Amino acid sequence: MMENNRSVLIIYTGGTIGMVNDPISGTLVPIDFRHISDQVPELRRFGFRLETVTFDPVIDSSEVTPEIWVRIARTIEENYEEFDGFVVLHGTDTMAYSASALSFMLQGLEKPVIFTGAQLPIGVLRTDGKENLITAIEIAAEQVDGVSVVPEVCIYFENRLLRGNRTIKYSAEHFNAFVSPNLSPLAEAGLQIRYNRNIIRYPTVRRPLSVSGKFDTGVSLLRLFPGIRQETVHAILGTSGLRGIILETYGTGNAPRNEWFLNELKSFISGGGIVLNVTQCQAGSVEMGLYETSAGLISAGVISGRDITTEAAVTKMMILLGTGLPAEKVSSLLSRPLCGEMS
Ligand code: ASP
């Protein structure tokens, strides 16, 4: 047994990692954490102080809401002084949203918050859950001279540690379910865990952890496709209480030059709405003004989301709108990186 005084809190929210087949419905349903520790007796060999908080109820992550993000953040805040790091067990479906949200919520974070889960339940022989859990715990506890090696919100999956707000779920099938197309992994686990310390973000000013826990869900996605109708765009932009949209454009941020389309955007923006341009491509960045098909968006008042993921854009917009800051200030914060979510 490894002996040391490290401590990690495991926050179990649900997901496939802890699911079993319901004998009646035949579907996968989440169950409590005792099952996972029974399946991974190796956890005892760490010699770390490992404690668990289990959400009640545990959920399939398709049912995640901002209230769950607040519960995760508050659990970290309440236990922040007592533990060296945190592992959040979470379903893979919305893990990239939750990790993005937490990265914006936890201000002044100096300890690792590592999301992980599994594509196959931990009770299944070929499960990926054991390795994911064991390595996530090791990363959460990793320190040099008493300082955390990865003081960020990350996703550990398969053999890579990715910045949470740079990550997307790209495979519903492979163990390697997540990618971070615009940022190299923060660490790769082979025989050893190799950390890319030049990419990991370290706090420049020390301040106590604070949680920003207010969300304004008056946001929407508008994904362009050839043939999209004015009625559709008009209906989305006219949604009651809508304050901001993530406009998913083509390539480097391009959109049709139709007058009706630009007018719809202009009138939404002149009514106080915010439009953030994010590319439908998985890799690369919005570069408004590169083509004539994006120049009109600039004059309509659309903001560039550069290379932000849709998951990070949605959660960042909800949190910034939740602060109650004026639209100009929210727009200015949206257009620059707050915690490594854009290049
Ligand atoms: N539906 C599951 C969830 O997101 C999938 C998974 O965990 O991999 O909770």
Side-chain angles (χ1 to χ4, degrees):
M1 185 188 279
M2 288 191 254
E3 280 302 337
N4 58 55
N5 53 8
R6 302 280 164 81
S7 56
V8 173
L9 182 67
I10 301 169
I11 303 170
Y12 173 46
T13 67
T16 297
I17 192 162
M19 289 191 187
V20 291
N21 260 308
D22 182 289
I24 300 165
S25 66
T27 58
L28 282 170
V29 290
I31 56 156
D32 82 42
F33 186 79
R34 229 171 332 121
H35 174 75
I36 298 182
S37 49
D38 287 350
Q39 299 291 339
V40 196
E42 293 89 340
L43 290 183
R44 295 185 202 113
R45 291 175 49 198
F46 269 120
F48 296 167
R49 182 175 146 231
L50 288 179
E51 288 191 22
T52 309
V53 169
T54 300
F55 278 18
D56 181 19
V58 283
I59 57 163
D60 183 300
S61 76
S62 308
E63 302 197 276
V64 151
T65 56
E67 290 72 38
I68 305 261
W69 297 335
V70 172
R71 277 181 71 189
I72 300 173
R74 295 281 175 226
T75 306
I76 292 169
E77 185 182 36
E78 281 155 22
N79 292 282
Y80 195 66
E81 295 310 321
E82 264 206 70
F83 292 88
D84 297 318
F86 302 85
V87 169
V88 183
L89 293 179
H90 191 290
T92 58
D93 289 348
T94 58
M95 192 183 285
Y97 286 93
S98 296
S100 297
L102 266 288
S103 75
F104 300 117
M105 295 170 79
L106 297 172
Q107 286 156 19
L109 184 70
E110 294 183 0
K111 296 183 178 183
V113 174
I114 315 296
F115 279 73
T116 195
Q119 293 279 63
L120 276 179
I122 205 126
V124 171
L125 203 55
R126 289 179 51 249
T127 185
D128 50 332
K130 280 191 190 187
E131 195 280 329
N132 285 348
L133 175 59
I134 290 169
T135 308
I137 292 172
E138 198 165 331
I139 293 170
E142 190 73 44
Q143 294 185 345
V144 171
D145 299 330
V147 175
S148 297
V149 174
V150 194
E152 290 206 39
V153 179
C154 301
I155 290 181
Y156 178 76
F157 223 84
E158 181 68 351
N159 63 337
R160 289 176 310 166
L161 183 73
L162 308 173
R163 179 171 297 151
N165 58 30
R166 285 308 192 99
T167 303
I168 52 178
K169 180 175 180 182
Y170 95 110
S171 176
E173 182 182 357
H174 296 120
F175 286 149
N176 207 349
F178 292 92
V179 287
S180 160
N182 289 321
L183 188 76
S184 304
L186 304 191
E188 285 176 87
L191 291 182
Q192 291 175 345
I193 302 175
R194 296 205 183 279
Y195 293 93
N196 291 325
R197 298 196 68 160
N198 53 336
I199 305 179
I200 298 170
R201 296 180 80 241
Y202 293 95
T204 43
V205 217
R206 296 205 62 183
R207 54 190 172 131
L209 181 80
S210 69
V211 172
S212 139
K214 280 208 185 121
F215 290 83
D216 185 332
T217 52
V219 306
S220 186
L221 290 173
L222 175 52
R223 185 177 174 90
L224 296 181
F225 55 88
I228 192 166
R229 291 165 57 179
Q230 180 168 6
E231 295 89 315
T232 308
V233 172
H234 188 75
I236 293 174
L237 295 180
T239 308
S240 134
L242 188 72
R243 297 187 60 205
I245 63 159
I246 314 297
L247 180 66
E248 293 191 314
T249 56
Y250 309 122
T252 52
N254 307 315
R257 290 178 302 147
N258 304 343
E259 213 181 316
W260 69 258
F261 176 69
L262 293 173
N263 284 341
E264 288 287 349
L265 294 179
K266 277 184 199 152
S267 80
F268 178 68
I269 293 166
S270 61
I274 295 170
V275 180
L276 185 69
N277 186 352
V278 168
T279 173
Q280 294 180 13
C281 296
Q282 295 200 339
S285 181
V286 164
E287 284 180 61
M288 290 205 293
L290 184 63
Y291 289 89
E292 204 185 350
T293 43
S294 62
L297 297 178
I298 303 178
S299 42
V302 172
I303 309 162
S304 173
R306 293 150 62 174
D307 62 352
I308 196 168
T309 62
T310 293
E311 290 83 339
V314 168
T315 51
K316 182 177 178 182
M317 193 181 268
M318 287 200 286
I319 288 193
L320 289 177
L321 289 172
T323 57
L325 290 166
E328 309 79 69
K329 182 70 184 162
V330 171
S331 300
S332 127
L333 292 170
L334 276 171
S335 61
R336 61 184 167 89
L338 301 182
C339 47
E341 74 278 14
M342 293 168 166
S343 297

